[in-house]
Amino acid sequence: MIKKFGIKFGGLQQKILNLVLIFILAIVGVFFAASVYLSNNLTAVVDESAKEQKKSITSVSEETMFKMLDSSMNQNASLQADIADNVFSEVSGNVNALKEYAEYMYTHPEEFTDKPVSDPKPENDGKPSVQLQHEAAVDPADDKKLGLAANMSEMMLSMFKNSDVLNSCFIATVDGNIIFVDDRAGANFDENGKLQTFEVRQRPWYLGAKEKGDIYFTGIELDAFTNIPGLVCSAPVYADGKLVAVVGADIFLNNISDYVNNSLKYEGFVCIVNENGEIIFSPQKEGTFKAVTSDKTTDLRSGENKELAEFVNKSLKESVGLTSVKIDGRNYYLCSEPMKTVGWTVISALDKSVVDVPVQTLISNFERINGQSQESYHKSAGFSQQTLMIMILLILILASVAALVVAGRIVRPIEHMTKRIDEISGTDLAFEMDDSYRTNDEIEVLAQSFATLSRRTLSYIEQITKITAEKERIGAELELATKIQADMLPNIFPPFPDHEEFDIFASMTPAKEVGGDFYDFFLIDDNHIGIVMADVSGKGVPAALFMMMSKILVSNYAMMGGDPAKVLEQTNNQICKNNDEEMFVTVWFGILDLTTGNVKAANAGHEYPIIKKADGKFEILKDKHGFVVGGMDGMKFKNYEFTLERGGTLFLYTDGVPEATNSQNELFGTERMLAALNEEPQAEPEKLLGNMKKAVDEFVGDAPQFDDLTMLGIKLL
C-alpha cells in the first residue's frame, strides 16, 4: 500500500473511498437521470397545458363574441330598418289618405264645387303652391272634372307643409292633367323661361299604380325637372269601378343616403337592397356592395356568389340572423331586417376580421405570456443543469448525504408542480403559489408565471359569467312583461256568470315575449256589451306599451257613452297628441245589444269581421274601413249596423291568423280560416277558437310564428 495525501491507495481507506465514490456516483447518476426525466416531463406537461388553455380560451371567446354580436347586430339591423322604413310608412299613409279623399270626392261630386287651379308661376319658387301641369297634346279645358279634382288642393297643401319628408304630392287625371303641390315652381320652366310640358300618363308611378291597382312604390327615378333621384308612392283612384285618377307623393332620397353613408362612422356599415336584389344605397365605393346607377345594377340573387344570393333572397322575405358570408375575398358577418312598407331590406355588415381582433389579441397575449414563461423555464432549466454539475463536484468532495439533501430540495418542488399541472382540467384552472414553490430560484419564477397566467384566465371567465347573468336578467324581465300584458286582457271565462244570454271566449298568443295585439270586452250597461279587437303596428315592448294605452282609451271613452265611431274619433285624437314615434293601431269596435242582437260598429283599418247566422255558416262581412287610429289627427269614422241572431256567432281576429306563414312562405288565408270555422259552425266560442288555433298550428308546422295570433268569439244563446 502507498500512502499519499493521507490516503492509503490499495488499502481499506481506498476501498471505502472507492465505495463512497461509486455510491455517490450512482446516486448522482440516478439523481441526474431523475432530474432529466422530470424536467422533460414537466416541459411536456407545460406545452400540453398551454395548448389546452389556448384551445379553451379560443373556443369560449369565439362563442361569446358570436352570441354578443348576433344579439347586438340583429337589434341594430331591426332599429335601422325601422328608422329607414318610417319615411316610406309616412308617405304610404299620406297617399292612402289622398286616395280615400279622392274616391269619396269622385263618388259624391254633388257635394263639391269646381275649384280653379293655375299653371306654375316663377315667383312662387321656394314657396309651397298648388300648380297645374299637363301633357304636350292635352288641353286642360277639355278635362270636365279638372275643377272637381282641384278640391284636393287644400288637403295636399296642408299635407306638404306638415310633412318633413314629402317633396311633392299630386293628383293626376286620366285625361293627362296633373295638379300638384311643391315649392319648386321655377323648375317647371326651361332655360328660356318657357313652361315645360309633362307626360303624365307615361311616368312609372302612373303606369305602376294603374297596373297594380293599389299602393305602388317606384324604384329610384330622376325627377322630371330637377334630375334629383327620388322615389314616388302612388295609388289608383276608382269611381264606379273605373280608373279616374292617380294620387301620389314623392320624396328625394338625400336623407336616406346620408343615413347610410353615416354608418361608416362605426366599424361596420349599412346598405339597402331593393325588391329586385339591387344595391341602391351603400357607403362602399368599391366591390360588390358599391351602389351604382340603375342601368348598371345587378341582381345579387342571381350572381355567382351563391351564399350572398341565398342571403339576399331570404332577407327580402324575413329577418335573417347573424350569417358569415365571403364577399370580394373577405369574410363578413351579415344580418338583415326587411322594410315592410316598400319591400326592401336593410343589410348590416361587419368585417369578420374586426370581430376577430379581440380574440386574436387575447390569444396573442396568451402566447406571449406563455412564451415568456417557457423561455424563463428553459433558461432556468439550463442554469439548473450547470448548477447540478457543480453540485456533483461538490457532492463528490463533500459527501453523499449532502448530495441527497440537495437533490431532494431540487426534485420535490418540481414533482409537486408537475402533479398540480396534471390536475388542471375543465373549470379548475387555478394554479396558486404555496410554500413548496418558494425556493428562491428559477422554480419559484416559473411557478409565479403559472400563477399569474391562471389568475388572468379566471378573470376572463368571470367577465364572461357576468355577461351571461345579465342576459338571463333581461330574459326574466321580458317574462314578467309577458305576464303583465296577459293580465291586462280579460282572461276569466265565463266573464259575466249572471248573463246567460251569450257566451264569449278570446285568446292572444304573442309572436315575441310581448305583443301588440289586444282584445277587450266589457258591459256598458245590463243590455249592452262593448267588444274590441285591435292590432298595434310593430312588435315587442314598444308595441305592448302602445297596446295598453290604446286599450285603456277605448274602454274609458266607451264607458263615457257615445257610438263606436265617436269613441274611435276621441281615441284617435288623444293618441295623436303625443305620438312622436308615429305608431298606429287598427281597431274594430262594436256595441252589441243583448236584447235585440243589433250590433253598431266602426272599423279603423282592421280585418273584416266574420258572422254566422243561427242556421247558417260563417261568412265574411265586408264592412267599410276607416283610417287607422293614431295615423292622422282629426280623422272621422263611420258607424254601420248588422244583426246577430240568436244562435248566431261573431268571430273577430287580427291579421296574424290569415297571414300565418308555413315553411314554404304560403299564407293561411281567409279560405282556410272560414273552413276551420265551418268545421263545427254550431260549436261554442271556446271550441271554435281551439279549432282555429289547431288549424293554424298544423298549417304553419315548424315555421316560426311571425305575428301575434289574437281571436275572439261571441255567441248569442
Side-chain angles (χ1 to χ4, degrees):
M1 293 184 297
I2 300 173
K3 186 175 182 180
K4 193 174 182 180
F5 305 114
I7 301 175
K8 293 181 178 180
F9 293 94
L12 182 59
Q13 185 178 10
Q14 180 183 354
K15 293 180 181 179
I16 295 174
L17 178 59
N18 291 340
L19 181 61
V20 171
L21 290 175
I22 293 172
F23 179 73
I24 292 174
L25 288 173
I27 293 177
V28 169
V30 172
F31 175 73
F32 182 77
S35 298
V36 172
Y37 171 77
L38 291 174
S39 178
N40 291 338
N41 187 44
L42 179 60
T43 300
V45 170
V46 169
D47 291 342
E48 185 63 27
S49 176
K51 291 180 182 178
E52 290 298 324
Q53 291 187 42
K54 179 180 178 180
K55 181 179 179 181
S56 177
I57 291 173
T58 302
S59 175
V60 173
S61 300
E62 290 180 346
E63 181 179 356
T64 302
M65 288 295 294
F66 185 87
K67 290 181 179 178
M68 293 175 62
L69 190 64
D70 184 33
S71 176
S72 62
M73 285 191 66
N74 282 333
Q75 292 177 4
N76 185 45
S78 178
L79 177 61
Q80 291 166 340
D82 288 342
I83 292 172
D85 200 45
N86 278 342
V87 175
F88 304 110
S89 178
E90 178 182 341
V91 175
S92 176
N94 287 333
V95 172
N96 260 323
L98 291 175
K99 171 183 172 67
E100 291 185 0
Y101 187 79
E103 287 186 341
Y104 182 84
M105 182 180 67
Y106 274 96
T107 307
H108 305 83
E110 69 280 357
E111 298 182 15
F112 300 86
T113 59
D114 288 353
K115 296 287 183 70
V117 61
S118 61
D119 293 340
K121 298 178 180 179
E123 59 267 22
N124 287 332
D125 196 33
K127 299 184 297 184
S129 60
V130 182
Q131 305 160 70
L132 172 65
Q133 271 279 29
H134 57 84
E135 297 178 359
V138 171
D139 185 355
D142 296 335
D143 191 343
K144 303 302 182 183
K145 293 190 177 182
L146 188 60
L148 176 63
N151 282 278
M152 298 285 291
S153 300
E154 292 183 3
M155 181 178 182
M156 292 192 298
L157 190 60
S158 174
M159 185 177 292
F160 178 80
K161 290 180 178 179
N162 290 308
S163 174
D164 294 330
V165 299
L166 295 185
N167 292 290
S168 72
C169 48
F170 58 83
I171 177 171
T173 69
V174 294
D175 293 322
N177 295 294
I178 181 171
I179 301 172
F180 61 97
V181 173
D182 66 11
D183 56 2
R184 305 182 304 280
N188 294 278
F189 298 87
D190 60 19
E191 63 274 6
N192 298 317
K194 181 180 179 182
L195 183 65
Q196 302 182 74
T197 57
F198 183 59
E199 296 303 314
V200 177
R201 291 170 290 186
Q202 300 303 314
R203 298 300 294 171
W205 50 262
Y206 187 97
L207 298 173
K210 179 180 178 181
E211 179 180 354
K212 186 176 181 181
D214 201 351
I215 289 289
Y216 173 75
F217 279 92
T218 69
I220 306 300
E221 302 290 343
L222 295 179
D223 183 71
F225 301 111
T226 65
N227 283 329
I228 298 175
L231 179 145
V232 182
C233 176
S234 58
V237 178
Y238 296 98
D240 299 327
K242 295 181 179 180
L243 180 71
V244 295
V246 172
V247 296
D250 71 287
I251 57 174
F252 291 153
L253 300 176
N254 297 338
N255 293 337
I256 299 297
S257 182
D258 292 343
Y259 155 72
V260 170
N261 289 331
N262 286 337
S263 69
L264 275 177
K265 295 178 180 178
Y266 310 99
E267 293 178 332
F269 64 90
V270 170
C271 63
I272 297 179
V273 178
N274 67 11
E275 74 279 5
N276 298 321
E278 301 167 343
I279 296 284
I280 57 174
F281 293 108
S282 173
Q284 298 297 94
K285 303 303 181 185
E286 299 294 338
T288 301
F289 285 118
K290 177 183 177 182
V292 296
T293 56
S294 59
D295 58 330
K296 297 179 180 179
T297 56
T298 58
D299 188 346
L300 297 180
R301 300 171 298 177
S302 58
E304 296 180 357
N305 192 329
K306 301 303 181 183
E307 289 183 345
L308 180 60
E310 182 179 353
F311 177 84
V312 172
N313 189 55
K314 190 175 181 181
S315 298
L316 291 169
K317 302 174 183 176
E318 60 187 30
S319 301
V320 181
L322 197 63
T323 306
S324 178
V325 180
K326 190 171 184 179
I327 305 170
D328 298 333
R330 302 174 67 180
N331 290 319
Y332 285 87
Y333 279 130
L334 305 179
C335 66
S336 68
E337 185 71 22
M339 298 166 60
K340 302 178 181 61
T341 303
V342 292
W344 299 352
T345 186
V346 172
I347 296 178
S348 181
L350 183 62
D351 194 330
K352 192 174 183 293
S353 63
V354 176
V355 181
D356 291 340
V357 168
V359 176
Q360 293 301 324
T361 301
L362 180 63
I363 297 304
S364 296
N365 289 336
F366 171 81
E367 290 178 342
R368 177 177 56 80
I369 295 171
N370 185 64
Q372 292 174 350
S373 299
Q374 290 186 348
E375 182 180 357
S376 177
Y377 166 73
H378 289 306
K379 288 182 179 180
S380 299
F383 181 74
S384 296
Q385 290 178 358
Q386 294 177 2
T387 304
L388 181 61
M389 296 302 297
I390 296 174
M391 289 176 63
I392 291 174
L393 295 176
L394 293 175
I395 290 172
L396 291 172
I397 296 172
L398 297 176
S400 59
V401 176
L404 292 174
V405 173
V406 173
R409 292 182 60 186
I410 294 175
V411 172
R412 279 193 296 272
I414 295 177
E415 289 179 339
H416 190 276
M417 189 184 304
T418 302
K419 180 179 180 182
R420 179 66 190 107
I421 292 175
D422 285 337
E423 292 173 351
I424 292 177
S425 63
T427 59
D428 181 14
L429 301 177
F431 182 91
E432 299 178 353
M433 288 290 294
D434 60 29
D435 292 340
S436 63
Y437 304 142
R438 304 190 187 282
T439 58
N440 296 321
D441 58 17
E442 292 78 6
I443 294 176
E444 181 176 348
V445 174
L446 180 60
Q448 187 64 51
S449 298
F450 276 119
T452 300
L453 180 61
S454 177
R455 286 196 301 272
R456 292 178 179 174
T457 302
L458 291 173
S459 175
Y460 178 73
I461 293 175
E462 182 180 355
Q463 293 178 10
I464 294 176
T465 302
K466 289 180 179 179
I467 294 173
T468 303
E470 179 65 15
K471 292 183 67 178
E472 292 176 352
R473 181 187 66 79
I474 294 173
E477 291 181 357
L478 285 176
E479 183 178 352
L480 178 59
T482 303
K483 186 177 186 305
I484 292 174
Q485 184 186 33
D487 293 342
M488 283 286 294
L489 303 179
N491 53 21
I492 298 177
F493 299 98
F496 312 110
D498 295 338
H499 287 266
E500 299 180 353
E501 64 269 42
F502 70 93
D503 185 12
I504 190 169
F505 190 81
S507 67
M508 196 275 279
T509 305
K512 293 188 174 182
E513 288 84 355
V514 289
D517 288 5
F518 72 90
Y519 64 84
D520 198 7
F521 51 83
F522 43 85
L523 287 174
I524 299 175
D525 54 42
D526 288 341
N527 296 324
H528 295 84
I529 182 171
I531 307 170
V532 183
M533 180 61 65
D535 185 358
V536 176
S537 63
K539 302 288 184 298
V541 174
L545 295 175
F546 197 81
M547 176 274 279
M548 293 181 183
M549 178 182 69
S550 304
K551 175 183 178 297
I552 293 171
L553 288 175
V554 172
S555 61
N556 285 350
Y557 284 127
M559 296 303 294
M560 292 168 62
D563 55 38
K566 184 65 176 178
V567 170
L568 294 184
E569 180 182 340
Q570 292 172 322
T571 302
N572 177 71
N573 292 337
Q574 185 64 31
I575 288 177
C576 287
K577 288 181 180 179
N578 299 292
N579 191 12
D580 293 338
E581 300 303 322
E582 299 182 351
M583 298 183 71
F584 61 87
V585 57
T586 65
V587 183
W588 187 96
F589 175 51
I591 299 176
L592 169 61
D593 189 328
L594 298 174
T595 59
T596 65
N598 180 68
V599 178
K600 179 178 286 188
N603 192 329
H606 197 71
E607 303 294 321
Y608 294 126
I610 299 178
I611 61 173
K612 183 190 79 67
K613 295 183 178 181
D615 55 352
K617 292 187 175 181
F618 281 95
E619 297 178 352
I620 293 178
L621 176 61
K622 293 189 176 181
D623 57 3
K624 184 173 180 60
H625 288 191
F627 198 49
V628 297
V629 172
M632 182 180 295
D633 193 14
M635 290 300 298
K636 301 295 183 181
F637 300 91
K638 289 188 177 182
N639 292 313
Y640 69 94
E641 298 184 18
F642 63 90
T643 300
L644 185 63
E645 301 175 351
R646 296 290 174 185
T649 303
L650 171 64
F651 177 77
L652 303 173
Y653 56 96
T654 61
D655 58 4
V657 178
E659 294 180 6
T661 307
N662 62 15
S663 57
Q664 286 78 41
N665 291 321
E666 298 174 333
L667 297 180
F668 186 67
T670 54
E671 293 185 2
R672 291 186 179 91
M673 186 167 59
L674 288 172
L677 290 171
N678 288 320
E679 182 179 341
E680 295 183 72
Q682 300 298 331
E684 301 306 313
E686 182 175 2
K687 177 63 175 175
L688 281 175
L689 268 62
N691 289 345
M692 181 64 72
K693 183 66 166 59
K694 179 181 178 182
V696 172
D697 290 343
E698 291 178 350
F699 174 78
V700 171
D702 296 332
Q705 182 179 340
F706 177 76
D707 202 355
D708 302 336
L709 200 66
T710 307
M711 302 177 285
L712 181 147
I714 181 169
K715 180 177 183 180
L716 278 182
L717 304 177

